[in-house]
Amino acid sequence: FNMTPRQRALAVLNFQDYDRLPIVHFGFWRETLQQWADQGHISQEDASGWTDGNAPERAINKQLGFDFNWHNTVGADFGLRPRFESKVLEELPDGSRKVLNHDGVIVLQNDDAGGIPAEIDHLLKASEQWQEFYLPRLQWSPQRAILSQDAHAKLYDTKRDYPLGLNCGSLLGRIRDWMGVTGLAYVQADEPLLFEEMIQTVADLCYRCTEAMLAMPDVTFDFGHFWEDICFKNGPLINPQVFKDKVAPGYRRISKLLSRHGIDLVSLDCDGKVDLLLPIWLEQGINIMFPMEVGTWDANIRPWREKYGRAIRGVGGMDKQVFAYDRAAIDSEIERLRPLIALGGYLPCPDHRIPPNAKWDNVQYYCEQMRKI
């Protein structure tokens, strides 16, 4: 064997032989990279220029010892076109601001705070706002498939040695973004026809965008990829039966399209405890769970494999918090992963973006040990 990281990853996920496990990650917090740049581990240019799978990231990967970032995908524009103009609505005494963001959501922004801004209100509440502000922004046009220079370079990189995914969009997560969790719950009861129209509109757009990408000449994708984030620490943010009835058909339509183009590995990014939605996704052709957050619910591939067999694969499930501790903690985490890796069809990967408490030397040590073992 003398395989590339791409060949290794595909071999693992297809339960085939491989020479060694690829060392995989899921990107970084911006604050993490800035901290490492301040400490002299990476250049300021790489820290500020980083995005998933680009040249600065490949340089950082080489220094740390990672082979690639799983969240390395290319897709058409599934979002609002045009996006809302972001503007400050109110300056608060503590220096924070109420801001209308590009999705039509009013958030609380604070320059000193990292992470996701708190949501205060949402423009999208009912049929009136949907018809006026959102539906016109979710129509298909060929301009959605005009790619950035960086994305175009990935597609036609003849020396690519990492797996490349086709981003197939989001069938419910983006609606949850626009309405908020509470709004999404109310609309199902207050305006069920609107709920169905939103799902169908988004699913149709995702299909058209995916179709356009697959029609591009001389392009090869290794897997399809959806983003959702519709679960929290205790389970789904939507009734699983409603999800099966209303949302699942959109996945099936797109997964069949992927399969017709020879793409049978389909990854789905959903945080939180996903167990109740797993069988629904599997029925629709989704077969890779990512990032399998360890969290307080201890997500891992074993119970899923025992229940669903080789139909399910996984990327993730490595507890990134050990990067803040010491080498003993990293060694312990690697030992925990060992029997899960032996099950096959599973790529360990930090279970979300590497946070600012991660020590450079610890991340480097993790890569070294995983490569040795």
Side-chain angles (χ1 to χ4, degrees):
F1 287 121
N2 186 19
M3 305 174 78
T4 66
R6 177 189 185 189
Q7 292 170 328
R8 292 175 182 127
L10 296 178
V12 170
L13 294 172
N14 284 303
F15 299 96
Q16 297 168 350
D17 293 335
Y18 57 93
D19 56 353
R20 72 162 177 85
L21 203 69
I23 316 303
V24 186
H25 70 98
F26 178 18
F28 314 91
W29 285 34
R30 290 279 178 189
E31 293 87 345
T32 308
L33 296 180
Q34 186 56 56
Q35 181 171 276
W36 288 346
D38 293 342
Q39 294 167 354
H41 298 299
I42 61 176
S43 70
Q44 290 289 347
E45 290 77 17
D46 285 347
S48 61
W50 169 82
T51 59
D52 289 313
N54 70 351
E57 180 179 89
R58 290 194 290 275
I60 296 168
N61 287 348
K62 187 174 181 179
Q63 290 174 262
L64 283 169
F66 285 114
D67 287 318
F68 60 82
N69 176 351
W70 180 256
H71 198 258
N72 193 1
T73 65
V74 174
D77 181 1
F78 307 92
L80 302 172
R81 282 180 73 96
R83 302 172 77 188
F84 289 96
E85 181 182 353
S86 181
K87 57 183 177 182
V88 176
L89 302 179
E90 184 180 355
E91 298 273 2
L92 301 178
D94 63 358
S96 60
R97 302 173 300 280
K98 291 183 180 180
V99 176
L100 179 72
N101 71 13
H102 293 301
D103 285 333
V105 180
I106 300 173
V107 298
L108 185 66
Q109 287 190 354
N110 187 325
D111 293 336
D112 297 328
I116 300 171
E119 297 178 2
I120 299 172
D121 203 354
H122 303 81
L123 177 62
L124 179 55
K125 298 181 184 295
S127 296
E128 181 181 354
Q129 297 85 24
W130 168 255
Q131 295 292 335
E132 182 177 356
F133 298 114
Y134 285 82
L135 184 58
R137 287 177 158 91
L138 292 168
Q139 302 305 305
W140 161 254
S141 71
Q143 285 71 35
R144 289 183 177 272
I146 296 176
L147 302 176
S148 68
Q149 185 176 352
D150 180 61
H152 198 271
K154 288 182 188 178
L155 284 178
Y156 294 100
D157 180 5
T158 57
K159 298 180 180 179
R160 173 165 62 90
D161 64 356
Y162 55 86
L164 181 67
L166 170 55
N167 184 354
C168 300
S170 165
L171 303 192
L172 187 64
R174 294 297 288 138
I175 299 173
R176 190 264 306 162
D177 279 349
W178 301 328
M179 299 198 82
V181 175
T182 303
L184 183 64
Y186 272 112
V187 74
Q188 296 172 53
D190 294 344
E191 296 193 70
L193 294 180
L194 170 61
F195 180 59
E196 293 183 15
E197 182 182 346
M198 288 192 297
I199 291 170
Q200 189 62 53
T201 298
V202 169
D204 286 346
L205 179 57
C206 288
Y207 184 92
R208 293 291 302 274
C209 287
T210 302
E211 188 177 45
M213 293 297 297
L214 290 169
M216 295 184 70
D218 305 318
V219 170
T220 301
F221 295 101
D222 297 300
F223 62 97
H225 186 72
F226 292 90
W227 173 86
E228 288 301 354
D229 281 6
I230 50 172
C231 296
F232 71 129
K233 67 178 182 178
N234 293 326
L237 296 169
I238 184 172
N239 183 300
Q241 189 60 50
V242 173
F243 185 80
K244 182 175 183 177
D245 293 342
K246 306 298 183 184
V247 187
Y251 290 111
R252 169 54 63 186
R253 188 181 176 211
I254 295 172
S255 69
K256 285 184 175 180
L257 173 65
L258 293 171
S259 184
R260 290 198 296 271
H261 285 79
I263 302 171
D264 295 315
L265 292 174
V266 186
S267 168
L268 185 134
D269 176 352
C270 185
D271 298 347
K273 187 174 176 63
V274 301
D275 299 59
L276 293 178
L277 297 184
L278 264 182
I280 302 169
W281 277 319
L282 286 173
E283 289 169 2
Q284 313 315 317
I286 313 299
N287 52 21
I288 302 175
M289 292 298 113
F290 169 81
M292 301 172 58
E293 289 186 316
V294 175
T296 57
W297 53 95
D298 190 29
N300 74 76
I301 193 74
R302 183 182 295 282
W304 300 345
R305 179 63 54 73
E306 290 172 353
K307 191 169 184 178
Y308 305 110
R310 287 191 166 190
I312 191 165
R313 289 91 158 171
V315 176
M318 179 267 169
D319 185 1
K320 64 184 178 297
Q321 296 301 332
V322 299
F323 292 143
Y325 304 145
D326 54 26
R327 292 188 171 191
I330 294 168
D331 290 338
S332 178
E333 178 64 7
I334 291 174
E335 288 305 308
R336 185 186 72 83
L337 293 171
R338 232 189 235 267
L340 304 180
I341 295 166
L343 296 173
Y346 169 57
L347 290 175
C349 172
D351 65 345
H352 221 286
R353 302 201 180 265
I354 297 175
N357 64 359
K359 301 173 184 175
W360 173 270
D361 291 345
N362 282 349
V363 180
Q364 203 170 51
Y365 176 75
Y366 166 78
C367 294
E368 290 171 357
Q369 293 305 105
M370 288 291 283
R371 197 174 299 273
K372 286 179 184 177
I373 294 170

